[in-house]
Amino acid sequence: NSVISRHIASGAFKVQLPQSVKEQADVVVYNILGKSVYSQHVSIGTTTIYINPNNIETGIYLVKVNYDNKTNITKLVVD
């Protein structure tokens, strides 16, 4: 499973994958209504992804990470 934590200095959210990505991956953040508000393609070999919340409003979101034929969905609270 992916682990999400807040990087205190930058305010960005850190998404830690359990292993390096063997195939290209995608990260999509959805608001509570199911609308995509952020997306990023992830390169092969990546283990850490940073999401800058500056363009994301305060609220509850779902972060969907697709990698190596796996899908992880994690709740994210932006305050």
Side-chain angles (χ1 to χ4, degrees), residues 33-73:
L33 301 174
K35 179 182 177 188
S36 172
V37 296
Y38 176 89
S39 64
Q40 177 180 347
H41 294 293
V42 181
S43 301
I44 294 171
T46 299
T47 58
T48 305
I49 304 154
Y50 290 95
I51 299 172
N52 186 340
N54 290 344
N55 298 328
I56 300 176
E57 296 180 19
T58 300
I60 299 173
Y61 296 86
L62 295 176
V63 179
K64 182 177 180 181
V65 182
N66 292 316
Y67 68 99
D68 299 340
N69 296 318
K70 298 175 188 172
T71 300
N72 287 322
I73 299 175

Side-chain angles (χ1 to χ4, degrees), residues 1 10 17 20 22-23 28-29 36 43 53 64 73:
N1 290 332
S10 69
L17 301 175
S20 64
K22 296 177 182 141
E23 299 175 11
V28 183
V29 179
S36 172
S43 301
K64 182 177 180 181
I73 299 175

